[in-house]
Amino acid sequence: MNQKLTLPPDGLERLFEVLKERGFTVVGPTVREGAIVYDRLASPADLPRGITDEQDGGVYRLKPRADGALFGYVVGPQSWKRFLDPPVKRLWRAERDGADFKIVPEEPDQETFAFLGVRSCEIHAMAIQDRVFTGGEHKDPGYEARRRSAFIIAVQCTVAGGTCFCVSMNTGPRSESGFDIALTEIVDAERHLFVVEAGSPRGREILAALDTRPAEADEMAEAEKRIAKAAAQMGRTLDTEGVHDLLMQNPEHPRWGEVAGRCLSCANCTMVCPTCFCSTVEDVTDISGDHAERWQKQDSCFTMDFSYLHGGSVRASTRSRYRQWLTHKLATWIDQFGESGCTGCGRCITWCPVAIDLTEEVAAIRANPPAGAESIKKGKP
Ligand code: SF4
Ligand code: SF4
């Protein structure tokens, strides 16, 4: 077991310095336009101090909290994929070279990130995207380089949000692995400190450069108590028992039509999801015809264009697009990658403008399977 240490809140200043000395760009939570987003941080002063978030289906708002906590909220609209798999990126350029064209590959990024405030569900989401981008025959070299160099500073959740259900997905609230350092914030009338532990040799080396002391037994017990409290506070639950077969055996369930009646096909749920990875490519050229570029852009299975094949979209209805999304997340993702594509972060519920909630949709299908549910019909939209 890793030794637990104690770091005072002003120890975060030193943590920033040590990370910068080693060439890392520190990225973490900060308040912008009424939400907690992830951005490059200059110092701990950029963190959302004394702020919490209220979340429910289609509801997100920030509120003050009196204790000055630095991590007293859960996840916001963005995830770390914004940095590991940027939503818009140039893949290559082509320049006219006489009668021919010369392909100029994109230079690899030089920036190495230290991600501060990564939650357990987000560490699981990164591991899921690792399998997508680096687990198969065709790897994404940019993602692989950014991911391999990233330094992960986890923050153990001590509060849960109204749309969180990581306990159901077995992805939190405690980060057990996948981090370099993990912090648990303890803040009350008498004290404000972090119980910290290293999860890698790099993490041990960084912690050795900070002003820490061995954690007291009561501090470790308090940290555990706060994580257990978050586990007991989950805003949602999802019964995952047999969910793969439940969805695969109900492609014609009337609930798909009901949810399609509300769904705007806006794609918000896929944009905010930390595991969604779909993209499209777009070629652009200047008016001279001497210069062309290929750009990769984040895309969504909710757009008509995404499933456009010769002559039209394969998934022409909102019903078929919502069904595709949910069935992929909770069923066919398991067939593809050996695990669920959902970590229970709750973002798709919070940021759905009409409060569609995948936990409710699964429960509704489970509660009322149509008599004689057919096996999935291949090729039916
Ligand atoms: S499907 Fe929803 S709850 Fe699950 S990981 Fe994606 S955004 Fe989070
Ligand atoms: S489920 Fe909600 S967020 Fe997703 S496409 Fe439909 S309306 Fe948009």
Side-chain angles (χ1 to χ4, degrees), residues 237-241 243 246-247 250 252-260 262 322 326 330 356-371 373:
T237 57
L238 176 64
D239 180 1
T240 58
E241 182 70 34
V243 70
L246 178 77
L247 295 178
N250 281 289
E252 304 303 332
H253 196 286
R255 186 75 186 190
W256 299 120
E258 289 163 30
V259 70
R262 295 167 59 210
Y322 185 84
L326 190 61
L330 298 177
I356 291 172
D357 175 342
L358 78 171
T359 67
E360 260 177 48
E361 296 311 309
V362 170
I365 292 173
R366 193 185 289 283
N368 185 24

PDB file of all heavy atoms in Angstrom, residues 237-241 243 246-247 250 252-260 262 322 326 330 356-371 373:
ATOM      1  N   THR A 237     -28.869   5.827 -10.299  1.00  0.00           N
ATOM      2  CA  THR A 237     -28.350   4.458 -10.323  1.00  0.00           C
ATOM      3  C   THR A 237     -28.712   3.862 -11.684  1.00  0.00           C
ATOM      4  O   THR A 237     -29.693   4.274 -12.321  1.00  0.00           O
ATOM      5  CB  THR A 237     -28.974   3.569  -9.215  1.00  0.00           C
ATOM      6  OG1 THR A 237     -30.389   3.580  -9.373  1.00  0.00           O
ATOM      7  CG2 THR A 237     -28.597   4.039  -7.819  1.00  0.00           C
ATOM      8  N   LEU A 238     -27.914   2.906 -12.105  1.00  0.00           N
ATOM      9  CA  LEU A 238     -28.216   2.183 -13.348  1.00  0.00           C
ATOM     10  C   LEU A 238     -28.015   0.701 -13.062  1.00  0.00           C
ATOM     11  O   LEU A 238     -26.914   0.298 -12.648  1.00  0.00           O
ATOM     12  CB  LEU A 238     -27.273   2.646 -14.465  1.00  0.00           C
ATOM     13  CG  LEU A 238     -27.405   1.904 -15.794  1.00  0.00           C
ATOM     14  CD1 LEU A 238     -28.767   2.125 -16.439  1.00  0.00           C
ATOM     15  CD2 LEU A 238     -26.313   2.358 -16.774  1.00  0.00           C
ATOM     16  N   ASP A 239     -29.057  -0.077 -13.269  1.00  0.00           N
ATOM     17  CA  ASP A 239     -28.962  -1.522 -13.066  1.00  0.00           C
ATOM     18  C   ASP A 239     -28.294  -2.110 -14.314  1.00  0.00           C
ATOM     19  O   ASP A 239     -28.895  -2.154 -15.378  1.00  0.00           O
ATOM     20  CB  ASP A 239     -30.374  -2.090 -12.857  1.00  0.00           C
ATOM     21  CG  ASP A 239     -30.351  -3.591 -12.650  1.00  0.00           C
ATOM     22  OD1 ASP A 239     -29.253  -4.180 -12.651  1.00  0.00           O
ATOM     23  OD2 ASP A 239     -31.447  -4.167 -12.487  1.00  0.00           O
ATOM     24  N   THR A 240     -27.047  -2.529 -14.163  1.00  0.00           N
ATOM     25  CA  THR A 240     -26.291  -3.015 -15.331  1.00  0.00           C
ATOM     26  C   THR A 240     -26.460  -4.521 -15.548  1.00  0.00           C
ATOM     27  O   THR A 240     -25.964  -5.045 -16.545  1.00  0.00           O
ATOM     28  CB  THR A 240     -24.787  -2.713 -15.176  1.00  0.00           C
ATOM     29  OG1 THR A 240     -24.329  -3.335 -13.967  1.00  0.00           O
ATOM     30  CG2 THR A 240     -24.505  -1.234 -15.120  1.00  0.00           C
ATOM     31  N   GLU A 241     -27.167  -5.177 -14.660  1.00  0.00           N
ATOM     32  CA  GLU A 241     -27.342  -6.635 -14.771  1.00  0.00           C
ATOM     33  C   GLU A 241     -28.024  -6.978 -16.108  1.00  0.00           C
ATOM     34  O   GLU A 241     -29.160  -6.548 -16.362  1.00  0.00           O
ATOM     35  CB  GLU A 241     -28.221  -7.105 -13.589  1.00  0.00           C
ATOM     36  CG  GLU A 241     -28.458  -8.603 -13.514  1.00  0.00           C
ATOM     37  CD  GLU A 241     -27.211  -9.383 -13.136  1.00  0.00           C
ATOM     38  OE1 GLU A 241     -26.403  -8.835 -12.344  1.00  0.00           O
ATOM     39  OE2 GLU A 241     -27.050 -10.503 -13.631  1.00  0.00           O
ATOM     40  N   VAL A 243     -27.673  -5.806 -19.001  1.00  0.00           N
ATOM     41  CA  VAL A 243     -28.095  -4.665 -19.827  1.00  0.00           C
ATOM     42  C   VAL A 243     -27.730  -4.869 -21.305  1.00  0.00           C
ATOM     43  O   VAL A 243     -28.453  -4.411 -22.207  1.00  0.00           O
ATOM     44  CB  VAL A 243     -27.547  -3.323 -19.259  1.00  0.00           C
ATOM     45  CG1 VAL A 243     -26.050  -3.198 -19.423  1.00  0.00           C
ATOM     46  CG2 VAL A 243     -28.275  -2.127 -19.866  1.00  0.00           C
ATOM     47  N   LEU A 246     -30.467  -7.037 -22.686  1.00  0.00           N
ATOM     48  CA  LEU A 246     -31.730  -6.289 -22.611  1.00  0.00           C
ATOM     49  C   LEU A 246     -31.875  -5.359 -23.816  1.00  0.00           C
ATOM     50  O   LEU A 246     -32.916  -5.321 -24.478  1.00  0.00           O
ATOM     51  CB  LEU A 246     -31.774  -5.468 -21.313  1.00  0.00           C
ATOM     52  CG  LEU A 246     -33.016  -4.607 -21.130  1.00  0.00           C
ATOM     53  CD1 LEU A 246     -34.203  -5.463 -20.694  1.00  0.00           C
ATOM     54  CD2 LEU A 246     -32.769  -3.491 -20.114  1.00  0.00           C
ATOM     55  N   LEU A 247     -30.824  -4.595 -24.120  1.00  0.00           N
ATOM     56  CA  LEU A 247     -30.900  -3.640 -25.230  1.00  0.00           C
ATOM     57  C   LEU A 247     -30.858  -4.354 -26.578  1.00  0.00           C
ATOM     58  O   LEU A 247     -31.609  -3.999 -27.498  1.00  0.00           O
ATOM     59  CB  LEU A 247     -29.769  -2.615 -25.125  1.00  0.00           C
ATOM     60  CG  LEU A 247     -29.836  -1.698 -23.897  1.00  0.00           C
ATOM     61  CD1 LEU A 247     -28.650  -0.746 -23.869  1.00  0.00           C
ATOM     62  CD2 LEU A 247     -31.136  -0.906 -23.854  1.00  0.00           C
ATOM     63  N   ASN A 250     -34.194  -5.784 -27.621  1.00  0.00           N
ATOM     64  CA  ASN A 250     -35.354  -4.890 -27.681  1.00  0.00           C
ATOM     65  C   ASN A 250     -35.212  -3.766 -28.705  1.00  0.00           C
ATOM     66  O   ASN A 250     -35.513  -2.608 -28.399  1.00  0.00           O
ATOM     67  CB  ASN A 250     -35.614  -4.296 -26.289  1.00  0.00           C
ATOM     68  CG  ASN A 250     -36.327  -5.278 -25.384  1.00  0.00           C
ATOM     69  OD1 ASN A 250     -37.501  -5.567 -25.586  1.00  0.00           O
ATOM     70  ND2 ASN A 250     -35.607  -5.821 -24.417  1.00  0.00           N
ATOM     71  N   GLU A 252     -37.048  -3.020 -31.082  1.00  0.00           N
ATOM     72  CA  GLU A 252     -38.344  -2.458 -31.489  1.00  0.00           C
ATOM     73  C   GLU A 252     -39.183  -2.022 -30.289  1.00  0.00           C
ATOM     74  O   GLU A 252     -40.396  -1.855 -30.406  1.00  0.00           O
ATOM     75  CB  GLU A 252     -39.136  -3.498 -32.309  1.00  0.00           C
ATOM     76  CG  GLU A 252     -38.396  -4.037 -33.525  1.00  0.00           C
ATOM     77  CD  GLU A 252     -37.961  -2.938 -34.483  1.00  0.00           C
ATOM     78  OE1 GLU A 252     -38.627  -1.886 -34.528  1.00  0.00           O
ATOM     79  OE2 GLU A 252     -36.947  -3.128 -35.170  1.00  0.00           O
ATOM     80  N   HIS A 253     -38.548  -1.851 -29.146  1.00  0.00           N
ATOM     81  CA  HIS A 253     -39.299  -1.456 -27.956  1.00  0.00           C
ATOM     82  C   HIS A 253     -39.970  -0.092 -28.178  1.00  0.00           C
ATOM     83  O   HIS A 253     -39.333   0.827 -28.727  1.00  0.00           O
ATOM     84  CB  HIS A 253     -38.345  -1.383 -26.756  1.00  0.00           C
ATOM     85  CG  HIS A 253     -39.058  -1.373 -25.437  1.00  0.00           C
ATOM     86  ND1 HIS A 253     -39.728  -0.274 -24.975  1.00  0.00           N
ATOM     87  CD2 HIS A 253     -39.201  -2.329 -24.491  1.00  0.00           C
ATOM     88  CE1 HIS A 253     -40.258  -0.554 -23.786  1.00  0.00           C
ATOM     89  NE2 HIS A 253     -39.945  -1.805 -23.470  1.00  0.00           N
ATOM     90  N   PRO A 254     -41.219   0.066 -27.750  1.00  0.00           N
ATOM     91  CA  PRO A 254     -41.895   1.360 -27.984  1.00  0.00           C
ATOM     92  C   PRO A 254     -41.194   2.539 -27.311  1.00  0.00           C
ATOM     93  O   PRO A 254     -41.369   3.693 -27.724  1.00  0.00           O
ATOM     94  CB  PRO A 254     -43.297   1.145 -27.389  1.00  0.00           C
ATOM     95  CG  PRO A 254     -43.262  -0.152 -26.663  1.00  0.00           C
ATOM     96  CD  PRO A 254     -42.107  -0.940 -27.165  1.00  0.00           C
ATOM     97  N   ARG A 255     -40.390   2.265 -26.309  1.00  0.00           N
ATOM     98  CA  ARG A 255     -39.700   3.357 -25.617  1.00  0.00           C
ATOM     99  C   ARG A 255     -38.764   4.135 -26.555  1.00  0.00           C
ATOM    100  O   ARG A 255     -38.540   5.320 -26.364  1.00  0.00           O
ATOM    101  CB  ARG A 255     -38.902   2.784 -24.439  1.00  0.00           C
ATOM    102  CG  ARG A 255     -38.265   3.820 -23.551  1.00  0.00           C
ATOM    103  CD  ARG A 255     -39.265   4.500 -22.653  1.00  0.00           C
ATOM    104  NE  ARG A 255     -38.668   5.593 -21.901  1.00  0.00           N
ATOM    105  CZ  ARG A 255     -39.241   6.251 -20.916  1.00  0.00           C
ATOM    106  NH1 ARG A 255     -40.460   5.938 -20.545  1.00  0.00           N
ATOM    107  NH2 ARG A 255     -38.639   7.235 -20.287  1.00  0.00           N
ATOM    108  N   TRP A 256     -38.209   3.461 -27.568  1.00  0.00           N
ATOM    109  CA  TRP A 256     -37.322   4.189 -28.488  1.00  0.00           C
ATOM    110  C   TRP A 256     -38.098   5.290 -29.201  1.00  0.00           C
ATOM    111  O   TRP A 256     -37.580   6.380 -29.433  1.00  0.00           O
ATOM    112  CB  TRP A 256     -36.709   3.228 -29.513  1.00  0.00           C
ATOM    113  CG  TRP A 256     -35.865   2.123 -28.943  1.00  0.00           C
ATOM    114  CD1 TRP A 256     -36.082   0.792 -29.077  1.00  0.00           C
ATOM    115  CD2 TRP A 256     -34.662   2.265 -28.168  1.00  0.00           C
ATOM    116  NE1 TRP A 256     -35.100   0.081 -28.429  1.00  0.00           N
ATOM    117  CE2 TRP A 256     -34.214   0.959 -27.861  1.00  0.00           C
ATOM    118  CE3 TRP A 256     -33.925   3.343 -27.691  1.00  0.00           C
ATOM    119  CZ2 TRP A 256     -33.075   0.701 -27.108  1.00  0.00           C
ATOM    120  CZ3 TRP A 256     -32.781   3.098 -26.937  1.00  0.00           C
ATOM    121  CH2 TRP A 256     -32.370   1.800 -26.651  1.00  0.00           C
ATOM    122  N   GLY A 257     -39.329   5.005 -29.549  1.00  0.00           N
ATOM    123  CA  GLY A 257     -40.156   6.007 -30.224  1.00  0.00           C
ATOM    124  C   GLY A 257     -40.534   7.138 -29.275  1.00  0.00           C
ATOM    125  O   GLY A 257     -40.573   8.309 -29.659  1.00  0.00           O
ATOM    126  N   GLU A 258     -40.789   6.763 -28.002  1.00  0.00           N
ATOM    127  CA  GLU A 258     -41.167   7.794 -27.018  1.00  0.00           C
ATOM    128  C   GLU A 258     -40.008   8.762 -26.778  1.00  0.00           C
ATOM    129  O   GLU A 258     -40.192   9.975 -26.754  1.00  0.00           O
ATOM    130  CB  GLU A 258     -41.581   7.121 -25.704  1.00  0.00           C
ATOM    131  CG  GLU A 258     -42.914   6.394 -25.806  1.00  0.00           C
ATOM    132  CD  GLU A 258     -43.119   5.414 -24.659  1.00  0.00           C
ATOM    133  OE1 GLU A 258     -42.607   5.646 -23.558  1.00  0.00           O
ATOM    134  OE2 GLU A 258     -43.799   4.389 -24.893  1.00  0.00           O
ATOM    135  N   VAL A 259     -38.798   8.211 -26.589  1.00  0.00           N
ATOM    136  CA  VAL A 259     -37.662   9.102 -26.320  1.00  0.00           C
ATOM    137  C   VAL A 259     -37.350   9.936 -27.567  1.00  0.00           C
ATOM    138  O   VAL A 259     -36.973  11.113 -27.456  1.00  0.00           O
ATOM    139  CB  VAL A 259     -36.428   8.315 -25.806  1.00  0.00           C
ATOM    140  CG1 VAL A 259     -35.788   7.466 -26.880  1.00  0.00           C
ATOM    141  CG2 VAL A 259     -35.403   9.261 -25.204  1.00  0.00           C
ATOM    142  N   ALA A 260     -37.566   9.355 -28.750  1.00  0.00           N
ATOM    143  CA  ALA A 260     -37.315  10.114 -29.982  1.00  0.00           C
ATOM    144  C   ALA A 260     -38.263  11.303 -30.106  1.00  0.00           C
ATOM    145  O   ALA A 260     -37.922  12.325 -30.712  1.00  0.00           O
ATOM    146  CB  ALA A 260     -37.446   9.204 -31.201  1.00  0.00           C
ATOM    147  N   ARG A 262     -38.969  13.278 -27.814  1.00  0.00           N
ATOM    148  CA  ARG A 262     -38.400  14.396 -27.031  1.00  0.00           C
ATOM    149  C   ARG A 262     -37.017  14.802 -27.553  1.00  0.00           C
ATOM    150  O   ARG A 262     -36.624  15.957 -27.424  1.00  0.00           O
ATOM    151  CB  ARG A 262     -38.267  13.971 -25.565  1.00  0.00           C
ATOM    152  CG  ARG A 262     -39.595  13.692 -24.881  1.00  0.00           C
ATOM    153  CD  ARG A 262     -39.360  12.967 -23.551  1.00  0.00           C
ATOM    154  NE  ARG A 262     -38.519  13.728 -22.652  1.00  0.00           N
ATOM    155  CZ  ARG A 262     -37.708  13.161 -21.741  1.00  0.00           C
ATOM    156  NH1 ARG A 262     -37.642  11.860 -21.621  1.00  0.00           N
ATOM    157  NH2 ARG A 262     -36.975  13.920 -20.952  1.00  0.00           N
ATOM    158  N   TYR A 322     -30.905   7.701 -31.589  1.00  0.00           N
ATOM    159  CA  TYR A 322     -30.820   7.561 -30.127  1.00  0.00           C
ATOM    160  C   TYR A 322     -30.565   6.093 -29.755  1.00  0.00           C
ATOM    161  O   TYR A 322     -29.746   5.789 -28.895  1.00  0.00           O
ATOM    162  CB  TYR A 322     -32.090   8.078 -29.412  1.00  0.00           C
ATOM    163  CG  TYR A 322     -31.896   8.027 -27.913  1.00  0.00           C
ATOM    164  CD1 TYR A 322     -31.253   9.069 -27.240  1.00  0.00           C
ATOM    165  CD2 TYR A 322     -32.263   6.909 -27.185  1.00  0.00           C
ATOM    166  CE1 TYR A 322     -31.004   9.000 -25.875  1.00  0.00           C
ATOM    167  CE2 TYR A 322     -32.019   6.829 -25.818  1.00  0.00           C
ATOM    168  CZ  TYR A 322     -31.395   7.885 -25.185  1.00  0.00           C
ATOM    169  OH  TYR A 322     -31.121   7.802 -23.831  1.00  0.00           O
ATOM    170  N   LEU A 326     -27.381   4.724 -27.461  1.00  0.00           N
ATOM    171  CA  LEU A 326     -27.501   4.050 -26.168  1.00  0.00           C
ATOM    172  C   LEU A 326     -27.063   2.582 -26.259  1.00  0.00           C
ATOM    173  O   LEU A 326     -26.389   2.065 -25.363  1.00  0.00           O
ATOM    174  CB  LEU A 326     -28.947   4.140 -25.655  1.00  0.00           C
ATOM    175  CG  LEU A 326     -29.124   3.674 -24.213  1.00  0.00           C
ATOM    176  CD1 LEU A 326     -28.312   4.517 -23.241  1.00  0.00           C
ATOM    177  CD2 LEU A 326     -30.591   3.704 -23.806  1.00  0.00           C
ATOM    178  N   LEU A 330     -23.858   0.994 -24.041  1.00  0.00           N
ATOM    179  CA  LEU A 330     -24.069   0.021 -22.960  1.00  0.00           C
ATOM    180  C   LEU A 330     -24.044  -1.436 -23.430  1.00  0.00           C
ATOM    181  O   LEU A 330     -24.093  -2.336 -22.592  1.00  0.00           O
ATOM    182  CB  LEU A 330     -25.409   0.303 -22.268  1.00  0.00           C
ATOM    183  CG  LEU A 330     -25.538   1.666 -21.589  1.00  0.00           C
ATOM    184  CD1 LEU A 330     -26.933   1.834 -21.001  1.00  0.00           C
ATOM    185  CD2 LEU A 330     -24.491   1.864 -20.494  1.00  0.00           C
ATOM    186  N   ILE A 356     -33.197  14.206 -21.136  1.00  0.00           N
ATOM    187  CA  ILE A 356     -33.259  12.756 -21.381  1.00  0.00           C
ATOM    188  C   ILE A 356     -32.156  12.108 -20.551  1.00  0.00           C
ATOM    189  O   ILE A 356     -31.035  12.608 -20.475  1.00  0.00           O
ATOM    190  CB  ILE A 356     -33.116  12.449 -22.887  1.00  0.00           C
ATOM    191  CG1 ILE A 356     -34.379  12.935 -23.610  1.00  0.00           C
ATOM    192  CG2 ILE A 356     -32.890  10.956 -23.127  1.00  0.00           C
ATOM    193  CD1 ILE A 356     -34.310  12.881 -25.120  1.00  0.00           C
ATOM    194  N   ASP A 357     -32.525  11.004 -19.905  1.00  0.00           N
ATOM    195  CA  ASP A 357     -31.659  10.409 -18.884  1.00  0.00           C
ATOM    196  C   ASP A 357     -31.496   8.921 -19.221  1.00  0.00           C
ATOM    197  O   ASP A 357     -32.469   8.154 -19.173  1.00  0.00           O
ATOM    198  CB  ASP A 357     -32.364  10.617 -17.533  1.00  0.00           C
ATOM    199  CG  ASP A 357     -31.658   9.963 -16.372  1.00  0.00           C
ATOM    200  OD1 ASP A 357     -30.831   9.068 -16.593  1.00  0.00           O
ATOM    201  OD2 ASP A 357     -31.966  10.347 -15.229  1.00  0.00           O
ATOM    202  N   LEU A 358     -30.277   8.511 -19.563  1.00  0.00           N
ATOM    203  CA  LEU A 358     -30.099   7.111 -19.997  1.00  0.00           C
ATOM    204  C   LEU A 358     -30.454   6.122 -18.893  1.00  0.00           C
ATOM    205  O   LEU A 358     -30.904   5.009 -19.186  1.00  0.00           O
ATOM    206  CB  LEU A 358     -28.688   6.869 -20.541  1.00  0.00           C
ATOM    207  CG  LEU A 358     -27.501   6.686 -19.604  1.00  0.00           C
ATOM    208  CD1 LEU A 358     -26.280   6.248 -20.401  1.00  0.00           C
ATOM    209  CD2 LEU A 358     -27.200   7.945 -18.828  1.00  0.00           C
ATOM    210  N   THR A 359     -30.304   6.516 -17.625  1.00  0.00           N
ATOM    211  CA  THR A 359     -30.656   5.576 -16.550  1.00  0.00           C
ATOM    212  C   THR A 359     -32.170   5.335 -16.540  1.00  0.00           C
ATOM    213  O   THR A 359     -32.630   4.229 -16.305  1.00  0.00           O
ATOM    214  CB  THR A 359     -30.183   6.079 -15.164  1.00  0.00           C
ATOM    215  OG1 THR A 359     -30.900   7.257 -14.791  1.00  0.00           O
ATOM    216  CG2 THR A 359     -28.695   6.384 -15.159  1.00  0.00           C
ATOM    217  N   GLU A 360     -32.936   6.397 -16.840  1.00  0.00           N
ATOM    218  CA  GLU A 360     -34.395   6.262 -16.921  1.00  0.00           C
ATOM    219  C   GLU A 360     -34.801   5.418 -18.131  1.00  0.00           C
ATOM    220  O   GLU A 360     -35.740   4.623 -18.057  1.00  0.00           O
ATOM    221  CB  GLU A 360     -35.012   7.647 -17.128  1.00  0.00           C
ATOM    222  CG  GLU A 360     -35.576   8.295 -15.892  1.00  0.00           C
ATOM    223  CD  GLU A 360     -36.080   9.697 -16.242  1.00  0.00           C
ATOM    224  OE1 GLU A 360     -36.817   9.876 -17.248  1.00  0.00           O
ATOM    225  OE2 GLU A 360     -35.681  10.603 -15.513  1.00  0.00           O
ATOM    226  N   GLU A 361     -34.087   5.626 -19.243  1.00  0.00           N
ATOM    227  CA  GLU A 361     -34.444   4.901 -20.474  1.00  0.00           C
ATOM    228  C   GLU A 361     -34.218   3.399 -20.299  1.00  0.00           C
ATOM    229  O   GLU A 361     -35.046   2.586 -20.692  1.00  0.00           O
ATOM    230  CB  GLU A 361     -33.640   5.440 -21.671  1.00  0.00           C
ATOM    231  CG  GLU A 361     -33.931   6.893 -22.012  1.00  0.00           C
ATOM    232  CD  GLU A 361     -35.416   7.196 -22.098  1.00  0.00           C
ATOM    233  OE1 GLU A 361     -36.130   6.468 -22.796  1.00  0.00           O
ATOM    234  OE2 GLU A 361     -35.872   8.159 -21.445  1.00  0.00           O
ATOM    235  N   VAL A 362     -33.090   3.047 -19.690  1.00  0.00           N
ATOM    236  CA  VAL A 362     -32.815   1.621 -19.472  1.00  0.00           C
ATOM    237  C   VAL A 362     -33.845   1.039 -18.497  1.00  0.00           C
ATOM    238  O   VAL A 362     -34.382  -0.051 -18.715  1.00  0.00           O
ATOM    239  CB  VAL A 362     -31.372   1.418 -18.941  1.00  0.00           C
ATOM    240  CG1 VAL A 362     -31.160  -0.024 -18.487  1.00  0.00           C
ATOM    241  CG2 VAL A 362     -30.363   1.785 -20.026  1.00  0.00           C
ATOM    242  N   ALA A 363     -34.150   1.791 -17.441  1.00  0.00           N
ATOM    243  CA  ALA A 363     -35.120   1.294 -16.452  1.00  0.00           C
ATOM    244  C   ALA A 363     -36.488   1.093 -17.101  1.00  0.00           C
ATOM    245  O   ALA A 363     -37.198   0.126 -16.803  1.00  0.00           O
ATOM    246  CB  ALA A 363     -35.216   2.274 -15.285  1.00  0.00           C
ATOM    247  N   ALA A 364     -36.857   2.001 -18.013  1.00  0.00           N
ATOM    248  CA  ALA A 364     -38.179   1.897 -18.658  1.00  0.00           C
ATOM    249  C   ALA A 364     -38.238   0.668 -19.564  1.00  0.00           C
ATOM    250  O   ALA A 364     -39.257  -0.035 -19.606  1.00  0.00           O
ATOM    251  CB  ALA A 364     -38.457   3.164 -19.476  1.00  0.00           C
ATOM    252  N   ILE A 365     -37.164   0.395 -20.276  1.00  0.00           N
ATOM    253  CA  ILE A 365     -37.142  -0.789 -21.151  1.00  0.00           C
ATOM    254  C   ILE A 365     -37.150  -2.056 -20.299  1.00  0.00           C
ATOM    255  O   ILE A 365     -37.849  -3.026 -20.583  1.00  0.00           O
ATOM    256  CB  ILE A 365     -35.918  -0.732 -22.099  1.00  0.00           C
ATOM    257  CG1 ILE A 365     -36.098   0.411 -23.087  1.00  0.00           C
ATOM    258  CG2 ILE A 365     -35.710  -2.071 -22.815  1.00  0.00           C
ATOM    259  CD1 ILE A 365     -34.895   0.699 -23.975  1.00  0.00           C
ATOM    260  N   ARG A 366     -36.396  -2.017 -19.189  1.00  0.00           N
ATOM    261  CA  ARG A 366     -36.335  -3.191 -18.313  1.00  0.00           C
ATOM    262  C   ARG A 366     -37.702  -3.451 -17.658  1.00  0.00           C
ATOM    263  O   ARG A 366     -38.119  -4.598 -17.503  1.00  0.00           O
ATOM    264  CB  ARG A 366     -35.282  -2.962 -17.224  1.00  0.00           C
ATOM    265  CG  ARG A 366     -34.917  -4.214 -16.453  1.00  0.00           C
ATOM    266  CD  ARG A 366     -33.976  -3.887 -15.317  1.00  0.00           C
ATOM    267  NE  ARG A 366     -32.637  -3.513 -15.726  1.00  0.00           N
ATOM    268  CZ  ARG A 366     -31.704  -4.370 -16.134  1.00  0.00           C
ATOM    269  NH1 ARG A 366     -31.974  -5.646 -16.232  1.00  0.00           N
ATOM    270  NH2 ARG A 366     -30.497  -3.945 -16.462  1.00  0.00           N
ATOM    271  N   ALA A 367     -38.388  -2.378 -17.305  1.00  0.00           N
ATOM    272  CA  ALA A 367     -39.650  -2.531 -16.571  1.00  0.00           C
ATOM    273  C   ALA A 367     -40.767  -3.062 -17.463  1.00  0.00           C
ATOM    274  O   ALA A 367     -41.732  -3.641 -16.982  1.00  0.00           O
ATOM    275  CB  ALA A 367     -40.064  -1.184 -15.984  1.00  0.00           C
ATOM    276  N   ASN A 368     -40.648  -2.848 -18.762  1.00  0.00           N
ATOM    277  CA  ASN A 368     -41.766  -3.160 -19.639  1.00  0.00           C
ATOM    278  C   ASN A 368     -41.304  -3.790 -20.948  1.00  0.00           C
ATOM    279  O   ASN A 368     -41.521  -3.226 -22.031  1.00  0.00           O
ATOM    280  CB  ASN A 368     -42.549  -1.858 -19.925  1.00  0.00           C
ATOM    281  CG  ASN A 368     -43.796  -2.118 -20.718  1.00  0.00           C
ATOM    282  OD1 ASN A 368     -44.338  -3.224 -20.694  1.00  0.00           O
ATOM    283  ND2 ASN A 368     -44.235  -1.108 -21.465  1.00  0.00           N
ATOM    284  N   PRO A 369     -40.619  -4.950 -20.872  1.00  0.00           N
ATOM    285  CA  PRO A 369     -40.202  -5.567 -22.133  1.00  0.00           C
ATOM    286  C   PRO A 369     -41.425  -6.038 -22.904  1.00  0.00           C
ATOM    287  O   PRO A 369     -42.340  -6.605 -22.305  1.00  0.00           O
ATOM    288  CB  PRO A 369     -39.336  -6.751 -21.686  1.00  0.00           C
ATOM    289  CG  PRO A 369     -39.757  -7.032 -20.293  1.00  0.00           C
ATOM    290  CD  PRO A 369     -40.319  -5.772 -19.716  1.00  0.00           C
ATOM    291  N   PRO A 370     -41.539  -5.730 -24.194  1.00  0.00           N
ATOM    292  CA  PRO A 370     -42.720  -6.156 -24.942  1.00  0.00           C
ATOM    293  C   PRO A 370     -42.793  -7.680 -24.994  1.00  0.00           C
ATOM    294  O   PRO A 370     -41.757  -8.341 -25.024  1.00  0.00           O
ATOM    295  CB  PRO A 370     -42.517  -5.567 -26.335  1.00  0.00           C
ATOM    296  CG  PRO A 370     -41.082  -5.199 -26.413  1.00  0.00           C
ATOM    297  CD  PRO A 370     -40.556  -5.056 -25.030  1.00  0.00           C
ATOM    298  N   ALA A 371     -43.998  -8.194 -25.001  1.00  0.00           N
ATOM    299  CA  ALA A 371     -44.172  -9.647 -25.043  1.00  0.00           C
ATOM    300  C   ALA A 371     -43.525 -10.183 -26.312  1.00  0.00           C
ATOM    301  O   ALA A 371     -43.651  -9.590 -27.387  1.00  0.00           O
ATOM    302  CB  ALA A 371     -45.660  -9.982 -25.030  1.00  0.00           C
ATOM    303  N   ALA A 373     -40.343 -10.316 -27.182  1.00  0.00           N
ATOM    304  CA  ALA A 373     -39.327  -9.436 -27.769  1.00  0.00           C
ATOM    305  C   ALA A 373     -38.450 -10.215 -28.740  1.00  0.00           C
ATOM    306  O   ALA A 373     -37.956 -11.280 -28.427  1.00  0.00           O
ATOM    307  CB  ALA A 373     -38.474  -8.837 -26.660  1.00  0.00           C
TER     308      ALA A 373
END
